[in-house]
Amino acid sequence: MRRTAGTPLDHEPAALAALSARLDGQVPTAVSAPLAAHVLAAAVRDRGPLPALGAGSLTPALRAELARDLAPALRQGVGDPTEPAAGRPLALLRVADLLDVDCVDALPGLAGRLARDLVSGRPADRAAGQEPEHGSAGAVSVAGAGTDPHVDGGRVVCPPAVLDAVHGHPALRTALFGALDALAAAHPPGVAGRLAGCGLPVPPSPGFPHLRMCLQTAGAGRTGDRRARFHGLLRTAGVSPHAAPDVLRTAFQLVWPDGPPGAEDAALLLSELGSDAHRLAGTRDALVEAALAAPADDPAVPVLAADLLRCFTTELRPAHRAPLLLLEYAGLLDGDHDVENWVDHVCGLRDGAPEPVPEPVTRRVYDALARRLLAVAAPGTEPYAPPRPPAPESELYALARAGDPGLLAAYERVARGDRVAERLRTVPGYVAACFCDWSAYPRPHGGWETTRTTLLAKVLRPVVRALPAEDQRAVEEALHRTGRGRLDAYRAWNRPGALGRLAGRLTGRGRREDRQAPWTGDVEPPAGGGHG
């Protein structure tokens, strides 16, 4: 519909729009349609408020004329990136649908902006057709999202205009869900948190697997059986992680958004899905982190470390390989496997790592080494399991010679623990063995000197003083079998008063004798190992 510049109609757009709205449906279309067409054309061209017209508001001839005249402006307005997507562009799309103007080329851009606005918490818009306020094109931060009427507690409430468009415009609905699916694949936890309760009618299947996973997990707690939730999300995706590895990554990030899974869950996920799926999904490093960051007392860690080394033989970063090897070795030590050079092997792996080894890893392997040296089982071991065999003479010497503060601290920590205390109270031969160990290799091994004298005074002496006479005789008989010198040293150390305390400092002089003769399989100390 043509207009002539300078006519009174140009100066009363609001009044004409109000009049058109009052006449629509109240008078014959032939009477109201020219005014409705004029108001609509002026609103599109002059960026004014768009009237709410229905299919019966215009005659076919006027609709065709408006479509020819307004098509360029409509396509440009629908694709205008400077406007809030859910505001004027969406309203112009409704006008284009009314006039049967094809805007399909502008839909991907509009859908992308709608998706980003929904996920970022940007104001979804005022009433459709209103001019945005100055500065409203900027995104609202998550921290300030609660100030917007369409954002509730960090979650987005999908505005009615968007829901109407999704229900009424299939092409826009497909484009919007596709854009949201891409955002969900890139930032699963963030999208899930924002879209919780948004009301989008996403179909259960097929397509849009990442979006459907995010909507399913939205609002779910982070407690309970996470692995069960993980497999539930994969079922929701409706596609095999072997065919589409990215759904594995999305499910992984949704279930464990705040850190890696526990070692047991990680080991099971690796076993169930296989290394290829994790390799392609990019979740391999999360499994590695599960091993490296696990608490030092997690029993599932050594198995996970061994599986990672086996499955990703050539792919692990050097900074990951050394800690994993240490974790695997800790499992071998605790499992009484036939390994040699315990102290040297641990120190070699640790010192050869290109980056500092994580503290939980060193804590675990140091404690495992200390338990092996002290011949006590790891926590959680069957209480009626056979006693562990004694440590080789050379390993205690290696510990004393190395003087490593971390290793010595672990040795003292384990020696002060409940398992050593229980065995000292109940096994006289173990008392004799610990006395021989803690009397060996005095100065110049400074760190070891401090450790061994502390253990003699703080751990062994209280136990020995509380032993019944029968156990005292058993301890002395065990020491007598190692040599008269050890028995004399023990009696001097165990004598009350200053003389006994002084004797405790002098034990270990001369060559260290067979300290564990009550046990079989001992070896002689290395040359010079027992000299003070």
Side-chain angles (χ1 to χ4, degrees):
M1 181 177 179
R2 301 287 188 260
R3 63 177 180 172
T4 304
T7 64
L9 296 180
D10 292 319
H11 302 292
E12 300 293 341
L16 291 176
L19 177 60
S20 176
R22 289 179 61 86
L23 293 177
D24 190 28
Q26 303 298 317
V27 299
T29 301
V31 175
S32 62
L35 178 60
H38 173 82
V39 169
L40 178 60
V44 171
R45 291 192 179 101
D46 301 333
R47 301 175 60 84
L50 294 167
L53 301 180
S57 300
L58 300 169
T59 63
L62 283 173
R63 187 180 298 109
E65 182 182 352
L66 286 171
R68 289 192 303 270
D69 290 348
L70 299 181
L74 287 172
R75 294 191 183 100
Q76 182 181 6
V78 170
D80 188 352
T82 65
E83 291 280 0
R88 188 172 182 82
L90 206 57
L92 290 172
L93 181 63
R94 290 196 297 273
V95 173
D97 290 342
L98 174 67
L99 301 180
D100 199 21
V101 173
D102 184 4
C103 293
V104 66
D105 291 343
L107 291 184
L110 175 60
R113 296 195 305 278
L114 284 171
R116 289 190 295 273
D117 288 353
L118 286 172
V119 169
S120 68
R122 176 177 175 169
D125 203 7
R126 299 94 189 140
Q130 292 184 354
E131 281 296 318
E133 298 176 3
H134 178 70
S136 65
V140 174
S141 68
V142 174
T147 62
D148 186 79
H150 296 295
V151 182
D152 179 19
R155 297 177 179 180
V156 173
V157 178
C158 195
V162 175
L163 288 176
D164 289 346
V166 166
H167 284 289
H169 204 296
L172 177 64
R173 177 172 64 246
T174 300
L176 175 59
F177 289 170
L180 286 171
D181 191 66
L183 292 175
H187 307 286
V191 172
R194 299 297 292 180
L195 295 186
C198 66
L200 286 173
V202 181
S205 63
F208 319 116
H210 307 279
L211 177 58
R212 285 190 283 110
M213 284 191 287
C214 284
L215 291 179
Q216 174 174 312
T217 199
R222 297 181 181 180
T223 59
D225 188 344
R226 293 201 187 193
R227 199 161 57 88
R229 286 173 50 206
F230 174 83
H231 287 294
L233 287 176
L234 289 183
R235 289 191 293 272
T236 296
V239 59
S240 167
H242 299 285
D246 54 349
V247 301
L248 169 58
R249 181 177 62 251
T250 296
F252 206 102
Q253 294 181 21
L254 286 172
V255 176
W256 291 282
D258 46 3
E264 182 179 8
D265 281 344
L268 289 171
L269 291 175
L270 178 57
S271 174
E272 291 167 353
L273 296 169
S275 59
D276 285 345
H278 288 285
R279 182 181 294 108
L280 295 173
T283 52
R284 178 198 64 207
D285 285 352
L287 298 179
V288 172
E289 185 62 24
L292 302 187
D297 58 353
D298 188 336
V301 169
V303 173
L304 173 60
D307 288 346
L308 291 168
L309 289 165
R310 172 179 51 83
C311 292
F312 305 110
T313 306
T314 61
E315 306 164 45
L316 295 170
R317 295 194 293 116
H320 288 163
R321 177 174 294 278
L324 289 175
L325 287 170
L326 283 168
L327 292 174
E328 180 186 41
Y329 196 69
L332 297 177
L333 289 171
D334 270 332
D336 292 335
H337 291 271
D338 187 13
V339 290
E340 299 178 347
N341 301 322
W342 309 339
V343 175
D344 290 342
H345 192 76
V346 168
C347 291
L349 286 174
R350 179 200 62 193
D351 296 342
E355 297 180 10
V357 176
E359 191 276 336
V361 176
T362 57
R363 172 72 179 245
R364 173 181 291 274
V365 73
Y366 289 175
D367 284 358
L369 176 57
R371 286 190 291 266
R372 192 73 179 259
L373 288 167
L374 288 159
V376 291
T381 305
E382 170 60 46
Y384 302 108
R388 303 185 77 172
E393 177 82 11
S394 58
E395 292 299 339
L396 186 69
Y397 175 72
L399 178 71
R401 179 193 60 197
D404 186 282
L407 289 175
L408 291 174
Y411 186 87
E412 181 175 337
R413 182 168 59 245
V414 174
R416 288 173 173 264
D418 293 340
R419 288 180 173 264
V420 169
E422 177 64 20
R423 196 167 184 191
L424 287 172
R425 287 192 297 266
T426 57
V427 183
Y430 189 61
V431 174
C434 285
F435 177 77
C436 290
D437 280 354
W438 299 343
S439 301
Y441 312 121
R443 304 176 183 85
H445 303 293
W448 168 247
E449 175 72 7
T450 301
T451 300
R452 74 175 192 85
T453 54
T454 298
L455 295 178
L456 283 170
K458 302 297 185 182
V459 175
L460 193 60
R461 185 179 297 280
V463 171
V464 169
R465 292 292 167 83
L467 288 178
E470 181 181 358
D471 287 350
Q472 286 280 13
R473 288 193 297 271
V475 173
E476 292 194 356
E477 289 171 3
L479 287 168
H480 180 71
R481 289 194 293 269
T482 70
R484 183 69 190 184
R486 282 297 179 200
L487 178 56
D488 291 343
Y490 174 77
R491 287 173 172 170
W493 170 81
N494 195 30
R495 186 179 305 130
L499 181 60
R501 290 194 295 273
L502 177 61
R505 300 177 182 273
L506 301 177
T507 55
R509 57 187 180 275
R511 187 184 63 82
R512 187 175 178 215
E513 301 175 67
D514 188 2
R515 58 184 170 87
Q516 294 169 342
W519 301 341
T520 60
D522 291 334
V523 296
E524 291 295 323
H531 292 281

